[in-house]
Amino acid sequence: MVRRASSDDGERPATIRDVAAHAGVSVATVSRILSGTYPSAPATRSKVMRAVRELDYVANANARGLAGASSRSVAIIVTSVVSPHYAHVAQGVQTQAALEGKLCIIGTTNGGPERELATVQLMRQEHAECVILVGNVVNDEAYRERMGEYARALAAAGSQLVLCGRPALGPDVPALVIEYDNTGGAYAITSHLLSAGHRRILFLGRRDGYTTPGARVAGYRNALADFHQPHDPGLEVDGKMERSEGYRMIRQRLESGPPDFTAVFAGNDLIAAGARQALREHGLRVPDDISLVGFDDLPSAADIDLTTVHVPHEELGRTAVRLALERRQDKSGMSEHVMLGTHIIVRDSVRPLRGAGQ
Amino acid sequence: MVRRASSDDGERPATIRDVAAHAGVSVATVSRILSGTYPSAPATRSKVMRAVRELDYVANANARGLAGASSRSVAIIVTSVVSPHYAHVAQGVQTQAALEGKLCIIGTTNGGPERELATVQLMRQEHAECVILVGNVVNDEAYRERMGEYARALAAAGSQLVLCGRPALGPDVPALVIEYDNTGGAYAITSHLLSAGHRRILFLGRRDGYTTPGARVAGYRNALADFHQPHDPGLEVDGKMERSEGYRMIRQRLESGPPDFTAVFAGNDLIAAGARQALREHGLRVPDDISLVGFDDLPSAADIDLTTVHVPHEELGRTAVRLALERRQDKSGMSEHVMLGTHIIVRDSVRPLRGAGQ
DNA sequence: CGGCGCTTAGTAAACGTTTGAACATGTGGT
DNA sequence: ACCACATGTTCAAACGTTTACTAAGCGCCG
């Protein structure tokens, strides 16, 4: 049970001064003992700890932050927290942060660059140890300039910008970049389809200018080229990375005639789920009639037996905070770039094409 | 582009003193103008704003918090951020927080009460305006006592405990409770099945002691009673609220003989998804052979055309912060209790039983 | 024309913690 | 006996804001 020394119970919370008085030592001693990082006599130590317990004292993070002790928080900025991709990265960030005794501040932007700016400013106010920006984005000049400013402003404030699954900036920009291999994964899974004899492979979810779909479509094209397949732009369908878009794209394609493809490479698992539904509604079964693969390896991919590319979402988040924190110690200053691997997960959504060999 | 007045560019970030000097006014003036809540001459105002812009000044949240200005953050504690239920509530919290200009601190516990305690302490250190605890929990004496302590400690620190989808405590405990109607929803959807002629309805996911499954099974029983159906405990299957559990429960049931039920009420949509898969693997199709309903109305429920109970996840989160913040103004002090409604969403996973009427 | 109220700006005292430097002790070497 | 030294503790000065109190300028009425 919580007891309180002062007469006015329930009033203002106990300060370090109250603890010091209660234990009969100075505030400096209390501070040092609580920080842990200092020698102290066992007797003093136990006196202080008892006072802390009896007064139910918790340190004031604001005062602590002000007085110089490095802030104990890590910030993550995503477009939305319900999107599985972001949720998993956020989970990784939160896990690693908790492991290091930090807590995690989260902001969402809903995609708007101005909201992103506002959120970065907030995190700057809050003196987060690092600010992790995650996700797909258009990679134009405006973007690079904006990120450069973020990076410099954060570095000046003793913080650190981390780009997670976003394109790197110049080497003179003080940012940490954690990517995963979109192109390699797309290459591998396209090869998987090609090896099974498929030649006409529909790519769903191209989106010019955006980094993630861009890298995936590049892997797709590379694989086709290595199998000496002609590049047919008609097989690349534009669309956003959402379930409803996958449904729409297949729907439109099938309404204009019978399928001119034997396999579908969906830009991510959500698109794959939507595409699968549209295919079924047209009487086409996966994988018997059409083969289907996705990208991301969300838990829901297992539900529909989808062969897909595994993305280490949580590890992405964990690595981001781990590297950011260890880099802060030796403030080497400049850019750093990490690329995490991806690999395909074979389930049951691809069938070899009968009479293969062309 | 960012310019800097001091010669040592990139060193320490600008303080309010720098801004005051740059604008030729006192720090008090700058503080007041930035707070907004004070009369000031337009000329002074624009001078200050220009200095802020030129120095790229952002206030130090720690100093601000220390000096008395109320903290600008809201805390949410969930077991995991990837679980869709929590993710949606978190999204609501984050959205409303952003709307009120606050930012959102998130902690995860992975279910452990000791981690929950540690996280609450962290939030107390951080002086969050309110601490929102969300989710299913065992409702025993230890729990009530623990929550009572949280509530009092937070109240003493000028914060506020909010319980979201958790059972209320005594009226003397200074906590805000936001619930949703589990029992009513379960009653409604069970009635839906009964009205379609189903009599032997399997309930999946009972879990004694836990609040959420408990309330749902209660609604199920109430509906059966109102339709004058005998209570058959053999139709209530124990299991956790996970997809794999849904799969397991159906699997085990069907391995021990042919189905002795015509409909399944899954404790939530995840269980429903797992159950559906197990049913299909046994050659039973939904809804033709077996009717299936769920609970939660996650986006994935639409994917499998599942009739389910809609839970206002996001609104839960939004309401939590809205009420918490407005209650802080008039510190009326004591408990408050809000119950949000649920309603059923009819899709295509239920068929009327042929030859109904028993 | 002097005092009064009103608006606007400045002064300085908090807020609760950390931390470098100083200060007591006791301990061992010479 | 004295000095150097290690150990454990205290003093006091930051850290960057906010805000009650105070002061200055100025128009207005008596």
Side-chain angles (χ1 to χ4, degrees), chain B:
Chain B
M1 196 53 212
V2 174
R3 286 190 320 179
R4 212 160 267 273
S6 60
S7 55
D8 56 341
D9 188 315
E11 265 326 317
R12 124 199 99 64
T15 74
I16 199 174
R17 241 186 297 272
D18 301 330
V19 174
H22 197 80
V25 299
S26 76
V27 293
T29 304
V30 175
S31 170
R32 288 200 263 254
I33 285 180
L34 291 183
S35 310
T37 166
Y38 213 76
S40 58
T44 324
R45 192 182 150 71
S46 66
K47 262 193 310 186
V48 168
M49 292 316 246
R50 197 160 65 86
V52 165
R53 229 172 304 119
E54 291 186 353
L55 298 178
D56 190 29
Y57 167 78
V58 294
N60 181 327
N62 287 322
R64 189 171 264 183
L66 227 207
S70 69
S71 145
R72 311 217 128 296
S73 57
V74 155
I76 177 174
I77 302 180
V78 297
T79 59
S80 154
V81 119
V82 294
S83 164
H85 173 88
Y86 297 128
H88 281 89
V89 176
Q91 176 83 338
V93 167
Q94 154 65 45
T95 302
Q96 184 69 26
L99 217 75
E100 313 230 12
K102 322 269 177 192
L103 52 69
C104 180
I105 305 178
I106 189 162
T108 62
T109 65
N110 296 314
E114 63 295 331
R115 282 268 335 241
E116 184 176 277
L117 173 60
T119 313
V120 169
Q121 299 288 65
L122 266 184
M123 300 310 184
R124 192 136 75 91
Q125 287 192 10
E126 218 67 21
H127 287 203
E129 294 201 54
C130 64
V131 176
I132 303 175
L133 250 42
V134 16
N136 182 35
V137 86
V138 323
N139 186 11
D140 57 9
E141 193 46 49
Y143 165 77
R144 305 186 95 84
E145 189 170 330
R146 183 155 46 95
M147 286 303 129
E149 283 189 24
Y150 290 176
R152 273 184 287 276
L154 287 171
S159 184
Q160 160 97 249
L161 179 66
V162 184
L163 266 25
C164 218
R166 287 196 178 192
L169 307 159
D172 54 326
V173 178
L176 182 56
V177 178
I178 320 281
E179 277 190 283
Y180 57 95
D181 191 4
N182 278 306
T183 304
Y187 182 93
I189 205 157
T190 308
S191 300
H192 180 71
L193 288 171
L194 287 161
S195 304
H198 293 279
R199 287 300 175 266
R200 295 203 49 91
I201 304 171
L202 197 64
F203 183 93
L204 254 39
R206 189 180 65 178
R207 207 164 170 216
D208 287 335
Y210 283 78
T211 56
T212 305
R216 292 181 187 175
V217 88
Y220 161 81
R221 287 180 191 160
N222 291 349
L224 285 173
D226 285 1
F227 274 72
H228 307 295
Q229 284 308 111
H231 174 228
D232 179 356
L235 285 175
E236 297 174 2
V237 186
D238 289 319
K240 293 199 278 185
M241 298 286 231
E242 293 164 14
R243 185 183 200 288
S244 58
E245 288 279 286
Y247 183 84
R248 179 188 62 75
M249 288 185 275
I250 287 292
R251 191 83 184 228
Q252 288 183 351
R253 188 84 178 191
L254 293 180
E255 273 168 0
S256 59
D260 57 340
F261 51 88
T262 64
V264 174
F265 177 7
N268 70 10
D269 288 351
L270 296 178
I271 294 180
R276 183 167 175 274
Q277 187 184 341
L279 287 168
R280 295 173 83 103
E281 290 182 5
H282 273 262
L284 295 168
R285 298 195 313 171
V286 173
D288 301 317
D289 302 314
I290 296 281
S291 290
L292 173 66
V293 300
F295 207 113
D296 269 354
D297 193 28
L298 302 180
S300 63
D303 296 0
I304 57 174
D305 260 333
L306 184 70
T307 291
T308 188
V309 178
H310 178 76
V311 173
H313 294 295
E314 290 209 25
E315 195 183 339
L316 219 52
R318 286 206 309 274
T319 308
V321 349
R322 198 166 45 72
L323 289 186
L325 294 183
E326 83 186 25
R327 217 166 78 101
R328 266 171 58 81
Q329 319 230 317
D330 50 85
K331 42 186 73 182
S332 48
M334 278 304 92
S335 176
E336 191 170 344
H337 195 153
V338 173
M339 172 78 83
L340 263 40
T342 54
H343 58 268
I344 93 175
I345 301 279
V346 176
R347 295 205 181 86
D348 190 31
S349 65
V350 174
R351 282 277 188 285
L353 202 55
R354 284 172 303 274
Q358 168 60 296

Side-chain angles (χ1 to χ4, degrees), chain A residues 21-347:
Chain A
H22 197 79
V25 298
S26 76
V27 294
T29 303
V30 176
S31 172
R32 298 213 149 99
I33 285 179
L34 291 183
S35 310
T37 167
Y38 219 77
S40 59
T44 323
R45 191 182 152 70
S46 67
K47 262 193 308 186
V48 168
M49 291 317 246
R50 196 159 65 86
V52 165
R53 229 172 303 118
E54 291 186 353
L55 297 179
D56 191 27
Y57 167 77
V58 293
N60 181 326
N62 287 323
R64 188 170 265 183
L66 227 206
S70 68
S71 142
R72 312 218 128 295
S73 56
V74 154
I76 177 174
I77 302 181
V78 296
T79 60
S80 155
V81 120
V82 295
S83 164
H85 174 88
Y86 298 128
H88 281 90
V89 177
Q91 177 83 338
V93 168
Q94 154 66 44
T95 302
Q96 185 68 25
L99 217 74
E100 313 231 12
K102 322 269 175 193
L103 51 69
C104 179
I105 304 178
I106 189 163
T108 62
T109 65
N110 297 314
E114 63 295 332
R115 281 271 332 245
E116 184 177 275
L117 173 60
T119 312
V120 170
Q121 297 289 64
L122 265 184
M123 300 311 183
R124 193 136 75 91
Q125 287 192 8
E126 218 67 20
H127 285 207
E129 295 201 53
C130 63
V131 176
I132 303 174
L133 250 43
V134 15
N136 183 33
V137 86
V138 323
N139 186 11
D140 56 9
E141 194 45 50
Y143 164 76
R144 305 185 95 83
E145 189 170 330
R146 182 154 48 94
M147 285 304 128
E149 284 188 25
Y150 290 176
R152 272 184 288 276
L154 287 171
S159 183
Q160 160 95 248
L161 179 66
V162 183
L163 267 24
C164 218
R166 287 195 178 193
L169 307 159
D172 54 326
V173 179
L176 183 55
V177 178
I178 319 282
E179 278 189 282
Y180 56 96
D181 191 4
N182 278 305
T183 304
Y187 182 94
I189 205 157
T190 308
S191 300
H192 180 70
L193 289 171
L194 288 162
S195 304
H198 294 278
R199 287 301 175 264
R200 297 205 44 92
I201 303 170
L202 197 65
F203 183 92
L204 256 37
R206 190 181 63 179
R207 208 165 169 214
D208 286 337
Y210 283 78
T211 56
T212 305
R216 292 181 187 175
V217 87
Y220 162 79
R221 288 179 191 161
N222 291 349
L224 286 174
D226 284 1
F227 274 71
H228 308 294
Q229 284 309 111
H231 175 228
D232 179 356
L235 285 173
E236 296 174 2
V237 187
D238 288 319
K240 292 198 281 185
M241 298 285 234
E242 293 165 13
R243 196 193 133 87
S244 59
E245 288 279 286
Y247 184 83
R248 178 188 62 75
M249 289 185 274
I250 287 293
R251 190 84 185 228
Q252 287 182 351
R253 188 87 180 186
L254 293 181
E255 274 169 0
S256 58
D260 57 340
F261 51 88
T262 63
V264 175
F265 177 7
N268 71 10
D269 288 352
L270 296 178
I271 294 181
R276 183 167 175 273
Q277 188 184 339
L279 288 168
R280 294 173 83 104
E281 290 182 4
H282 273 263
L284 295 169
R285 297 196 312 171
V286 173
D288 300 317
D289 303 314
I290 297 281
S291 289
L292 173 67
V293 301
F295 207 114
D296 268 355
D297 194 27
L298 302 180
S300 62
D303 295 1
I304 57 174
D305 261 331
L306 183 70
T307 291
T308 187
V309 178
H310 178 76
V311 174
H313 295 294
E314 290 207 26
E315 196 182 339
L316 219 53
R318 285 206 309 275
T319 308
V321 349
R322 199 165 45 72
L323 289 186
L325 294 183
E326 83 187 26
R327 218 167 76 100
R328 266 170 57 81
Q329 320 230 317
D330 49 84
K331 42 188 70 182
S332 47
M334 277 304 92
S335 175
E336 192 171 342
H337 195 153
V338 173
M339 171 80 81
L340 263 40
T342 54
H343 58 267
I344 93 174
I345 301 280
V346 177
R347 296 207 180 86

